[in-house]
Amino acid sequence: MDIFTLPKLPYSYDALVPYIDAMTMKLHHTKHHQGYVNKLNLALEKETELYPGSLEKLLAEISNHSQAVRNNAGGHYNHTLFWASLTPNGTKQPKGSLANAIQRSFGDFANFQKKFTNEALHLFGSGWTWLCVDYQRGLYVHNTPNQDNPLMIDYKGCVRPILGLDVWEHAYYLQYQNRRVDYIAAFWDIINWEIIERRYIETL
């Protein structure tokens, strides 16, 4: 019996047009994310006695597991968080407690946006750019390679990642080709800041 299943998207594949095209969304969700789920379930069949009972605990104890579990558990978690962070009704900036936290940590939203964009643009190869909550409830931006994420024990200092951007080429190549900078710019128009703020509040 499979432990994990592919989550449904909270919107249709064409809902994020013109920022992300429908074909990219469909392939990204049904092929790439589904592939991580399938391979994670297969890898865990060999490690059933080590499975701690949740995806988050699995990531926190990832050094106890095989590279296959690491890659695919990360891929499953990262994409699940990514899909829920997007919306066709995005607003330009967050409000409330998250906006205040961004101001405290980065000076203002423009500085945060510049920092995040620069990190994503200059991440070499494939990986993710994250907005993370630290142990003092401040915010910082952090890159991880491949399908790693800040919940893994290797990346200390993170209470929780609350926003992640997929900068693997499969996330944008059909529409943007090698223009990662245009994909990153489009990302800012489809962020669900209500969800991101909710994640931040849950860490307080």
Side-chain angles (χ1 to χ4, degrees):
M1 179 178 178
D2 290 342
I3 296 174
F4 295 105
T5 58
L6 182 71
K8 294 182 179 180
L9 297 185
Y11 39 75
S12 63
Y13 290 126
D14 62 355
L16 303 181
V17 174
Y19 307 105
I20 303 179
D21 63 284
M23 183 58 70
T24 293
M25 290 297 299
K26 185 174 182 179
L27 291 174
H28 199 172
H29 182 243
T30 64
K31 302 300 183 182
H32 292 280
H33 191 174
Q34 182 70 72
Y36 289 119
V37 171
N38 294 344
K39 291 174 185 177
L40 176 58
N41 286 324
L42 285 174
L44 285 174
E45 287 181 2
K46 303 175 183 178
E47 302 184 17
T48 304
E49 72 283 357
L50 297 176
Y51 178 59
S54 75
L55 183 57
E56 290 75 14
K57 289 182 179 179
L58 178 64
L59 293 169
E61 301 174 5
I62 204 65
S63 60
N64 297 330
H65 297 272
S66 66
Q67 190 65 41
V69 170
R70 182 189 188 102
N71 292 342
N72 293 293
H76 178 37
Y77 177 88
N78 296 354
H79 284 89
T80 300
L81 184 141
F82 181 58
W83 305 132
S85 300
L86 306 179
T87 176
N89 304 308
T91 56
K92 291 295 184 180
Q93 295 188 25
K95 300 177 181 179
S97 59
L98 178 59
N100 294 334
I102 287 174
Q103 185 174 17
R104 288 194 303 271
S105 297
F106 300 99
D108 58 29
F109 183 80
N111 285 336
F112 156 65
Q113 189 175 41
K114 182 178 180 180
K115 170 70 173 175
F116 192 100
T117 295
N118 188 62
E119 291 292 322
L121 185 59
H122 293 96
L123 189 155
F124 182 77
S126 299
W128 292 74
T129 300
W130 304 94
L131 176 63
C132 302
V133 182
D134 66 24
Y135 287 107
Q136 287 71 47
R137 300 307 187 260
L139 300 173
Y140 69 99
V141 175
H142 182 68
N143 283 340
T144 59
N146 303 313
Q147 292 297 347
D148 284 5
N149 64 60
L151 290 182
M152 294 177 174
I153 198 166
D154 312 60
Y155 301 103
K156 296 181 179 179
C158 178
V159 174
R160 185 182 187 186
I162 58 174
L163 175 66
L165 174 61
D166 188 347
V167 289
W168 284 62
E169 284 191 340
H170 66 240
Y172 61 88
Y173 203 83
L174 286 181
Q175 181 168 354
Y176 294 101
Q177 289 80 54
N178 65 334
R179 303 188 308 276
R180 183 186 287 188
V181 64
D182 293 341
Y183 164 67
I184 297 168
F187 172 66
W188 295 106
D189 286 304
I190 50 175
I191 296 174
N192 189 334
W193 287 115
E194 290 184 5
I195 292 291
I196 313 308
E197 182 179 20
R198 189 181 308 163
R199 291 174 185 155
Y200 174 70
I201 291 171
E202 288 171 354
T203 69
L204 300 180

